[in-house]
Every structure is written in structure tokens, then in C-alpha cells.
Amino acid sequence: MATTNIIELVKKNCKLYKGGDTNPYRPEEASKENWAKEYLKFQIWDAEYSVVQKFTWWRQMWEDSHFIPDLSKEERAEEIYKLAIKDKLRKIEREDIDFMQMYFDL
């Protein structure tokens, strides 16, 4: 399977990124009550954009540190996607907001 085909499999895992180069989420414009959700969406869109646009780099990161042999292409795409999302969620982690749970609730 060509790299472009596995990128299409990665895109199927995306919750928010559907293409384009402009992040549509604006946490700075959200109300105080909606800020955390909008901020999470902004960050997840960014991670999904990154894993699609810089797939080769993310694949190499996964192969270097999390490689699991004998996965199907669909499973490999999902694992690479999850690596990018977990990396982003670790970077935005806060004690007062459970972004991980919010992500699963999206």
C-alpha cells in the first residue's frame, strides 16, 4: 500500500480534520463556558492536521518507539493516529480540565 493510501486510512480516524489548511476552531473567541471544549477542538484539529500532513515523520516516530509487528495497514494507521493525539493531549494536560475525557466525548 502506498503512503498516500495509508494517509487516507489515517484520515478516517480523524474526528475534526476533514481537509484544508486553516484551523476552524477559535478558543480565543469562545465564551468562558465553552473555552475548554473549543480549545480542545483547536488542539485536536491541529494534531490531526499534523499526522496527515507530516505522516512520514509520525510514522517514523511510531516505528522508532511504539512499533508493533504484524499489524494490518488499518491498525497501523490507527496506531500512528493515536500516537499523534496522545502526544498532543500530553502537551495540553492540566489538573483542572480533563482533556483526555473530553476528547473521548467528542
Side-chain angles (χ1 to χ4, degrees):
M1 178 178 269
T3 299
T4 9
N5 294 343
I6 199 166
I7 291 172
E8 291 304 314
L9 294 173
V10 169
K11 283 182 184 178
K12 289 180 181 180
N13 289 288
C14 293
K15 292 184 177 197
L16 302 174
Y17 178 72
K18 303 301 178 205
D21 293 324
T22 306
N23 191 328
Y25 301 98
R26 302 277 177 253
E28 69 277 2
E29 297 173 7
S31 66
K32 187 176 180 178
E33 300 81 33
N34 294 325
W35 177 85
K37 188 171 184 178
E38 192 72 6
Y39 178 75
L40 174 66
K41 287 179 177 181
F42 178 89
Q43 297 298 334
I44 296 302
W45 185 96
D46 183 63
E48 291 176 346
Y49 174 81
S50 176
V51 76
V52 170
Q53 298 299 319
K54 299 173 184 170
F55 174 77
T56 303
W57 186 86
W58 282 104
R59 181 184 62 206
Q60 189 63 51
M61 291 290 295
W62 178 77
E63 288 174 356
D64 290 348
S65 59
H66 297 86
F67 184 74
I68 303 169
D70 301 325
L71 292 181
S72 69
K73 289 179 177 48
E74 291 83 3
E75 292 168 326
R76 187 171 300 166
E78 182 180 359
E79 290 300 316
I80 295 167
Y81 170 82
K82 289 192 304 190
L83 175 64
I85 296 302
K86 287 177 184 177
D87 182 68
K88 180 60 87 168
L89 289 170
R90 274 193 294 275
K91 288 178 181 176
I92 66 171
E93 186 176 1
R94 291 175 50 155
E95 289 183 22
D96 61 332
I97 300 172
D98 187 353
F99 285 120
M100 181 72 74
Q101 184 58 50
M102 289 175 67
Y103 168 75
F104 289 117
D105 291 343
L106 283 178

